[in-house]
mmCIF file of all heavy atoms in Angstrom:
data_model
loop_
_atom_site.group_PDB
_atom_site.id
_atom_site.type_symbol
_atom_site.label_atom_id
_atom_site.label_comp_id
_atom_site.label_asym_id
_atom_site.label_seq_id
_atom_site.Cartn_x
_atom_site.Cartn_y
_atom_site.Cartn_z
ATOM 1 N N LEU A 162 155.635 140.362 138.760
ATOM 2 C CA LEU A 162 156.720 140.002 137.843
ATOM 3 C C LEU A 162 157.984 139.578 138.576
ATOM 4 O O LEU A 162 158.748 138.752 138.080
ATOM 5 C CB LEU A 162 157.022 141.168 136.896
ATOM 6 C CG LEU A 162 155.922 141.505 135.896
ATOM 7 C CD1 LEU A 162 156.183 142.853 135.243
ATOM 8 C CD2 LEU A 162 155.775 140.411 134.847
ATOM 9 N N SER A 163 158.213 140.133 139.751
ATOM 10 C CA SER A 163 159.401 139.767 140.542
ATOM 11 C C SER A 163 159.304 138.343 141.076
ATOM 12 O O SER A 163 160.321 137.682 141.290
ATOM 13 C CB SER A 163 159.588 140.738 141.717
ATOM 14 O OG SER A 163 159.792 142.044 141.237
ATOM 15 N N LYS A 164 158.077 137.864 141.294
ATOM 16 C CA LYS A 164 157.883 136.506 141.821
ATOM 17 C C LYS A 164 157.634 135.475 140.721
ATOM 18 O O LYS A 164 157.850 134.283 140.926
ATOM 19 C CB LYS A 164 156.701 136.489 142.795
ATOM 20 C CG LYS A 164 156.976 137.229 144.080
ATOM 21 C CD LYS A 164 155.765 137.175 144.985
ATOM 22 C CE LYS A 164 156.017 137.933 146.271
ATOM 23 N NZ LYS A 164 154.816 138.008 147.108
ATOM 24 N N HIS A 165 157.140 135.928 139.572
ATOM 25 C CA HIS A 165 156.798 134.996 138.499
ATOM 26 C C HIS A 165 158.041 134.428 137.828
ATOM 27 O O HIS A 165 159.043 135.126 137.661
ATOM 28 C CB HIS A 165 155.945 135.686 137.425
ATOM 29 C CG HIS A 165 155.789 134.863 136.188
ATOM 30 N ND1 HIS A 165 156.605 135.019 135.082
ATOM 31 C CD2 HIS A 165 154.945 133.841 135.882
ATOM 32 C CE1 HIS A 165 156.255 134.143 134.163
ATOM 33 N NE2 HIS A 165 155.256 133.418 134.626
ATOM 34 N N TYR A 166 157.979 133.173 137.467
ATOM 35 C CA TYR A 166 159.020 132.577 136.634
ATOM 36 C C TYR A 166 158.371 131.606 135.659
ATOM 37 O O TYR A 166 157.304 131.057 135.927
ATOM 38 C CB TYR A 166 160.097 131.873 137.477
ATOM 39 C CG TYR A 166 159.576 130.774 138.370
ATOM 40 C CD1 TYR A 166 159.526 129.446 137.930
ATOM 41 C CD2 TYR A 166 159.113 131.053 139.647
ATOM 42 C CE1 TYR A 166 159.033 128.441 138.736
ATOM 43 C CE2 TYR A 166 158.611 130.051 140.470
ATOM 44 C CZ TYR A 166 158.587 128.752 140.006
ATOM 45 O OH TYR A 166 158.078 127.754 140.809
ATOM 46 N N TYR A 167 159.028 131.452 134.514
ATOM 47 C CA TYR A 167 158.547 130.505 133.511
ATOM 48 C C TYR A 167 159.006 129.100 133.881
ATOM 49 O O TYR A 167 159.958 128.924 134.649
ATOM 50 C CB TYR A 167 159.059 130.901 132.128
ATOM 51 C CG TYR A 167 158.347 132.096 131.543
ATOM 52 C CD1 TYR A 167 158.986 133.333 131.408
ATOM 53 C CD2 TYR A 167 157.026 132.008 131.126
ATOM 54 C CE1 TYR A 167 158.328 134.428 130.869
ATOM 55 C CE2 TYR A 167 156.357 133.101 130.586
ATOM 56 C CZ TYR A 167 157.021 134.306 130.455
ATOM 57 O OH TYR A 167 156.361 135.388 129.929
ATOM 58 N N HIS A 168 158.335 128.109 133.308
ATOM 59 C CA HIS A 168 158.567 126.721 133.684
ATOM 60 C C HIS A 168 159.261 125.900 132.599
ATOM 61 O O HIS A 168 160.065 125.031 132.903
ATOM 62 C CB HIS A 168 157.234 126.061 134.067
ATOM 63 C CG HIS A 168 156.497 126.833 135.112
ATOM 64 N ND1 HIS A 168 156.804 126.756 136.451
ATOM 65 C CD2 HIS A 168 155.492 127.737 135.015
ATOM 66 C CE1 HIS A 168 156.013 127.568 137.132
ATOM 67 N NE2 HIS A 168 155.205 128.168 136.283
ATOM 68 N N THR A 169 158.929 126.147 131.334
ATOM 69 C CA THR A 169 159.527 125.366 130.245
ATOM 70 C C THR A 169 160.883 125.950 129.880
ATOM 71 O O THR A 169 161.144 127.141 130.071
ATOM 72 C CB THR A 169 158.628 125.384 128.989
ATOM 73 O OG1 THR A 169 158.518 126.735 128.526
ATOM 74 C CG2 THR A 169 157.248 124.813 129.285
ATOM 75 N N GLU A 170 161.724 125.106 129.327
ATOM 76 C CA GLU A 170 163.059 125.565 128.904
ATOM 77 C C GLU A 170 162.944 126.632 127.818
ATOM 78 O O GLU A 170 163.705 127.598 127.809
ATOM 79 C CB GLU A 170 163.912 124.385 128.423
ATOM 80 C CG GLU A 170 164.344 123.447 129.547
ATOM 81 C CD GLU A 170 165.024 124.163 130.704
ATOM 82 O OE1 GLU A 170 165.942 124.985 130.449
ATOM 83 O OE2 GLU A 170 164.642 123.934 131.865
ATOM 84 N N PHE A 171 161.974 126.467 126.922
ATOM 85 C CA PHE A 171 161.795 127.454 125.854
ATOM 86 C C PHE A 171 161.499 128.836 126.442
ATOM 87 O O PHE A 171 162.124 129.831 126.087
ATOM 88 C CB PHE A 171 160.660 127.052 124.904
ATOM 89 C CG PHE A 171 160.356 128.119 123.894
ATOM 90 C CD1 PHE A 171 161.102 128.214 122.730
ATOM 91 C CD2 PHE A 171 159.343 129.050 124.115
ATOM 92 C CE1 PHE A 171 160.854 129.225 121.801
ATOM 93 C CE2 PHE A 171 159.087 130.058 123.199
ATOM 94 C CZ PHE A 171 159.841 130.144 122.041
ATOM 95 N N ALA A 172 160.533 128.910 127.342
ATOM 96 C CA ALA A 172 160.136 130.202 127.906
ATOM 97 C C ALA A 172 161.249 130.798 128.765
ATOM 98 O O ALA A 172 161.452 132.015 128.764
ATOM 99 C CB ALA A 172 158.848 130.062 128.708
ATOM 100 N N LYS A 173 161.974 129.947 129.477
ATOM 101 C CA LYS A 173 163.100 130.454 130.276
ATOM 102 C C LYS A 173 164.127 131.139 129.380
ATOM 103 O O LYS A 173 164.692 132.164 129.743
ATOM 104 C CB LYS A 173 163.767 129.301 131.050
ATOM 105 C CG LYS A 173 162.961 128.801 132.221
ATOM 106 C CD LYS A 173 163.647 127.592 132.855
ATOM 107 C CE LYS A 173 162.777 126.949 133.910
ATOM 108 N NZ LYS A 173 163.365 125.701 134.430
ATOM 109 N N LYS A 174 164.348 130.553 128.214
ATOM 110 C CA LYS A 174 165.368 131.094 127.307
ATOM 111 C C LYS A 174 164.846 132.255 126.461
ATOM 112 O O LYS A 174 165.554 133.242 126.246
ATOM 113 C CB LYS A 174 165.874 129.970 126.400
ATOM 114 C CG LYS A 174 167.006 130.383 125.479
ATOM 115 C CD LYS A 174 167.571 129.195 124.723
ATOM 116 C CE LYS A 174 168.704 129.634 123.816
ATOM 117 N NZ LYS A 174 169.253 128.496 123.053
ATOM 118 N N PHE A 175 163.603 132.146 125.968
ATOM 119 C CA PHE A 175 163.115 133.103 124.976
ATOM 120 C C PHE A 175 162.043 134.079 125.479
ATOM 121 O O PHE A 175 161.670 134.991 124.747
ATOM 122 C CB PHE A 175 162.577 132.357 123.743
ATOM 123 C CG PHE A 175 163.637 131.606 123.007
ATOM 124 C CD1 PHE A 175 163.749 130.231 123.137
ATOM 125 C CD2 PHE A 175 164.547 132.265 122.189
ATOM 126 C CE1 PHE A 175 164.726 129.526 122.460
ATOM 127 C CE2 PHE A 175 165.528 131.578 121.505
ATOM 128 C CZ PHE A 175 165.624 130.205 121.642
ATOM 129 N N ARG A 176 161.529 133.890 126.682
ATOM 130 C CA ARG A 176 160.523 134.811 127.218
ATOM 131 C C ARG A 176 161.015 135.545 128.470
ATOM 132 O O ARG A 176 160.741 136.728 128.645
ATOM 133 C CB ARG A 176 159.209 134.076 127.534
ATOM 134 C CG ARG A 176 158.502 133.505 126.309
ATOM 135 C CD ARG A 176 158.011 134.592 125.374
ATOM 136 N NE ARG A 176 157.316 134.065 124.219
ATOM 137 C CZ ARG A 176 157.842 133.950 123.002
ATOM 138 N NH1 ARG A 176 159.090 134.325 122.773
ATOM 139 N NH2 ARG A 176 157.123 133.470 122.000
ATOM 140 N N ALA A 177 161.724 134.849 129.328
ATOM 141 C CA ALA A 177 162.178 135.461 130.587
ATOM 142 C C ALA A 177 163.044 136.711 130.380
ATOM 143 O O ALA A 177 162.849 137.697 131.099
ATOM 144 C CB ALA A 177 162.904 134.430 131.449
ATOM 145 N N PRO A 178 163.971 136.734 129.422
ATOM 146 C CA PRO A 178 164.797 137.949 129.268
ATOM 147 C C PRO A 178 163.986 139.194 128.922
ATOM 148 O O PRO A 178 164.218 140.268 129.497
ATOM 149 C CB PRO A 178 165.768 137.585 128.133
ATOM 150 C CG PRO A 178 165.843 136.086 128.165
ATOM 151 C CD PRO A 178 164.460 135.639 128.555
ATOM 152 N N PHE A 179 163.016 139.083 128.031
ATOM 153 C CA PHE A 179 162.205 140.250 127.669
ATOM 154 C C PHE A 179 161.300 140.650 128.826
ATOM 155 O O PHE A 179 161.083 141.838 129.077
ATOM 156 C CB PHE A 179 161.390 139.976 126.404
ATOM 157 C CG PHE A 179 160.839 141.238 125.784
ATOM 158 C CD1 PHE A 179 161.551 141.922 124.819
ATOM 159 C CD2 PHE A 179 159.624 141.757 126.199
ATOM 160 C CE1 PHE A 179 161.069 143.097 124.272
ATOM 161 C CE2 PHE A 179 159.122 142.934 125.653
ATOM 162 C CZ PHE A 179 159.854 143.603 124.687
ATOM 163 N N LYS A 180 160.788 139.652 129.541
ATOM 164 C CA LYS A 180 159.971 139.949 130.721
ATOM 165 C C LYS A 180 160.786 140.764 131.722
ATOM 166 O O LYS A 180 160.279 141.720 132.328
ATOM 167 C CB LYS A 180 159.470 138.660 131.371
ATOM 168 C CG LYS A 180 158.518 138.895 132.535
ATOM 169 C CD LYS A 180 158.277 137.640 133.346
ATOM 170 C CE LYS A 180 159.441 137.409 134.265
ATOM 171 N NZ LYS A 180 159.223 136.420 135.299
ATOM 172 N N GLN A 181 162.058 140.416 131.895
ATOM 173 C CA GLN A 181 162.925 141.158 132.815
ATOM 174 C C GLN A 181 163.125 142.602 132.348
ATOM 175 O O GLN A 181 163.110 143.525 133.164
ATOM 176 C CB GLN A 181 164.279 140.454 132.957
ATOM 177 C CG GLN A 181 165.178 141.065 134.020
ATOM 178 C CD GLN A 181 164.567 141.006 135.410
ATOM 179 O OE1 GLN A 181 164.092 139.968 135.849
ATOM 180 N NE2 GLN A 181 164.569 142.135 136.130
ATOM 181 N N LEU A 182 163.269 142.797 131.045
ATOM 182 C CA LEU A 182 163.392 144.163 130.504
ATOM 183 C C LEU A 182 162.121 144.970 130.782
ATOM 184 O O LEU A 182 162.191 146.160 131.125
ATOM 185 C CB LEU A 182 163.656 144.120 128.996
ATOM 186 C CG LEU A 182 165.012 143.587 128.535
ATOM 187 C CD1 LEU A 182 165.059 143.505 127.019
ATOM 188 C CD2 LEU A 182 166.136 144.476 129.061
ATOM 189 N N TYR A 183 160.992 144.333 130.620
ATOM 190 C CA TYR A 183 159.700 144.976 130.897
ATOM 191 C C TYR A 183 159.622 145.392 132.363
ATOM 192 O O TYR A 183 159.263 146.528 132.696
ATOM 193 C CB TYR A 183 158.562 144.021 130.515
ATOM 194 C CG TYR A 183 157.183 144.542 130.809
ATOM 195 C CD1 TYR A 183 156.710 145.712 130.218
ATOM 196 C CD2 TYR A 183 156.340 143.859 131.672
ATOM 197 C CE1 TYR A 183 155.427 146.193 130.490
ATOM 198 C CE2 TYR A 183 155.057 144.327 131.953
ATOM 199 C CZ TYR A 183 154.616 145.491 131.358
ATOM 200 O OH TYR A 183 153.349 145.959 131.628
ATOM 201 N N LEU A 184 159.991 144.471 133.260
ATOM 202 C CA LEU A 184 159.994 144.753 134.695
ATOM 203 C C LEU A 184 160.950 145.901 135.024
ATOM 204 O O LEU A 184 160.600 146.829 135.765
ATOM 205 C CB LEU A 184 160.379 143.488 135.467
ATOM 206 C CG LEU A 184 160.637 143.625 136.975
ATOM 207 C CD1 LEU A 184 159.426 144.182 137.702
ATOM 208 C CD2 LEU A 184 161.041 142.280 137.557
ATOM 209 N N ASP A 185 162.148 145.846 134.467
ATOM 210 C CA ASP A 185 163.142 146.904 134.709
ATOM 211 C C ASP A 185 162.624 148.262 134.255
ATOM 212 O O ASP A 185 162.856 149.279 134.914
ATOM 213 C CB ASP A 185 164.456 146.583 133.997
ATOM 214 C CG ASP A 185 165.157 145.358 134.584
ATOM 215 O OD1 ASP A 185 164.801 144.931 135.708
ATOM 216 O OD2 ASP A 185 166.058 144.816 133.910
ATOM 217 N N GLY A 186 161.901 148.283 133.137
ATOM 218 C CA GLY A 186 161.339 149.520 132.618
ATOM 219 C C GLY A 186 160.308 150.131 133.556
ATOM 220 O O GLY A 186 160.274 151.354 133.749
ATOM 221 N N ILE A 187 159.478 149.281 134.155
ATOM 222 C CA ILE A 187 158.475 149.768 135.112
ATOM 223 C C ILE A 187 159.181 150.374 136.330
ATOM 224 O O ILE A 187 158.833 151.460 136.793
ATOM 225 C CB ILE A 187 157.521 148.637 135.561
ATOM 226 C CG1 ILE A 187 156.731 148.087 134.378
ATOM 227 C CG2 ILE A 187 156.562 149.133 136.649
ATOM 228 C CD1 ILE A 187 156.001 146.791 134.671
ATOM 229 N N LYS A 188 160.190 149.672 136.841
ATOM 230 C CA LYS A 188 160.925 150.177 138.010
ATOM 231 C C LYS A 188 161.603 151.506 137.700
ATOM 232 O O LYS A 188 161.581 152.418 138.531
ATOM 233 C CB LYS A 188 161.975 149.146 138.455
ATOM 234 C CG LYS A 188 161.414 147.899 139.080
ATOM 235 C CD LYS A 188 162.561 146.970 139.436
ATOM 236 C CE LYS A 188 162.112 145.731 140.143
ATOM 237 N NZ LYS A 188 163.233 144.821 140.412
ATOM 238 N N ARG A 189 162.213 151.600 136.518
ATOM 239 C CA ARG A 189 162.892 152.843 136.117
ATOM 240 C C ARG A 189 161.930 154.012 136.046
ATOM 241 O O ARG A 189 162.271 155.126 136.453
ATOM 242 C CB ARG A 189 163.562 152.653 134.749
ATOM 243 C CG ARG A 189 165.067 152.607 134.806
ATOM 244 C CD ARG A 189 165.736 152.697 133.456
ATOM 245 N NE ARG A 189 165.030 152.095 132.347
ATOM 246 C CZ ARG A 189 165.116 150.808 131.997
ATOM 247 N NH1 ARG A 189 165.866 149.976 132.689
ATOM 248 N NH2 ARG A 189 164.441 150.365 130.972
ATOM 249 N N LYS A 190 160.743 153.745 135.524
ATOM 250 C CA LYS A 190 159.730 154.785 135.361
ATOM 251 C C LYS A 190 159.432 155.498 136.680
ATOM 252 O O LYS A 190 159.224 156.705 136.714
ATOM 253 C CB LYS A 190 158.455 154.148 134.783
ATOM 254 C CG LYS A 190 157.285 155.060 134.624
ATOM 255 C CD LYS A 190 156.197 154.312 133.865
ATOM 256 C CE LYS A 190 154.919 154.292 134.643
ATOM 257 N NZ LYS A 190 153.861 153.533 133.991
#
Side-chain angles (χ1 to χ4, degrees):
L162 293 167
S163 298
K164 291 180 181 174
H165 169 265
Y166 58 92
Y167 285 110
H168 307 280
T169 63
E170 290 307 312
F171 174 84
K173 286 175 188 174
K174 184 173 180 181
F175 295 103
R176 295 294 181 258
F179 196 91
K180 185 193 79 167
Q181 187 61 49
L182 291 175
Y183 177 61
L184 171 58
D185 293 344
I187 298 168
K188 290 179 176 177
R189 250 192 327 274
K190 177 172 124 183

